[in-house]
Each structure stands twice: as structure tokens, then as C-alpha cells.
Amino acid sequence: MQSRRRAVAFALTMGLLAQAAYPAPPAPADGGQVSEPAILRIRILEGEGAIHTAGTRSNQPIVVALTDETGRPVAGASVSAKLPDEGPTGFFANGGRTEIAVSGPDGRVALRGIQWARAAGPVQVRITASKGEARAGILSTQYVTEPSSGAAAQIGRAHV
């Protein structure tokens, strides 16, 4: 009988120690579910298929929206956009080919001010997002064109 009591006391003590060492994650203040999505979805809202002139800075953003498995916006997700290293490409405002941003309360991220290189052609922008264990990715196709003959003539005159 005594050994049984000791075994029960030992099991209860070990359970309390385990609970103290590995506490459950805190519940959200609003009493809802934990904000970590199980599935992350990414979709392009604006800018897909946009046409840009080679050698210019884009005035049209690429806007993406992040949602969870139920369609609710995912705030605070890390979003990375990567331009190709060669061929038709460009640079983000930070001077690099990769831009990192965090989604806002509405789950959106806007990628702005891409400086397009002088090579014309389609550009695949690789956009990835993550929050907790959830990950998503998408490609956005942008088109870089040669300056029109009128624009080329004006550029030529500006450099004379």
C-alpha cells in the first residue's frame, strides 16, 4: 500500500515538473484560437502581368495577400521576394535582388519601386511567405519591354 502511494505521488510530481518545464502556449487574449496558421495561402492581388519599360523604376506595386486555411488574413508573416540573378531582372529599392517584408494586420504586403534592368523579357519574381511552420510560395510574372522609339529618342536627347 505504501509503495503504491509513493508511486502515485511520484507520478503526480513528475507530471507537475513536466508541466512546469513545458508549459502550454498562452491562450490568445480574445479567447480565440492560436494565431499560428496550419496552412498559409498566398495570392497576388495587384501587379500580376504588369508591363514595365526597361531601365525605369516601377510605379506599380506587386501586392500579395496572405490568408490561413479559413480565409482569414495572416498578420506578421515573413514575406521574401526574389528577382532573377541574370537575364531580364531588376533591383529592389534596397539595392538588392531580394526584398523582405512583414504582412500587415490585413495580411497584405506591397512590393514597390523595382528598378528594372535594361534587358527586356519576362521576369519571374519568386515570392515566399512563412509564419510558424506554415509556408507558401508563388511566382509573379512581370514583363520588361524595350523603350518605345519616341521614348528612346527622348532618352538619347537627354544624354547628349
Side-chain angles (χ1 to χ4, degrees):
M1 186 76 162
Q2 188 106 14
S3 64
R4 187 173 183 174
R5 285 185 188 163
R6 284 186 188 156
V8 170
F10 177 76
L12 288 173
T13 302
M14 292 309 291
L16 291 174
L17 288 175
Q19 187 176 12
Y22 302 102
D30 64 359
Q33 295 184 355
V34 176
S35 62
E36 296 287 324
I39 296 173
L40 189 60
R41 293 189 176 114
I42 185 170
R43 99 189 131 98
I44 300 171
L45 298 178
E46 294 178 35
E48 177 61 21
I51 300 171
H52 311 278
T53 303
T56 64
R57 185 170 301 277
S58 174
N59 59 3
Q60 181 177 7
I62 302 169
V63 180
V64 297
L66 304 171
T67 56
D68 65 11
E69 61 276 7
T70 64
R72 290 182 302 199
V74 175
S78 295
V79 177
S80 172
K82 171 101 172 78
L83 292 164
D85 290 330
E86 50 191 47
T89 188
F91 295 94
F92 288 101
N94 65 12
R97 289 206 167 91
T98 302
E99 178 78 21
I100 298 174
V102 176
S103 62
D106 59 356
R108 294 183 180 193
V109 168
L111 304 166
R112 303 179 185 280
I114 299 171
Q115 176 67 46
W116 299 105
R118 299 215 178 264
V123 178
Q124 295 287 315
V125 182
R126 182 176 303 277
I127 303 168
T128 58
S130 66
K131 177 140 187 195
E133 297 296 316
R135 307 270 185 273
I138 196 167
L139 289 175
S140 173
T141 303
Q142 305 293 301
Y143 297 95
V144 178
T145 63
E146 294 289 334
S148 66
S149 58
Q154 287 182 358
I155 291 171
R157 275 187 240 135
H159 293 295
V160 173

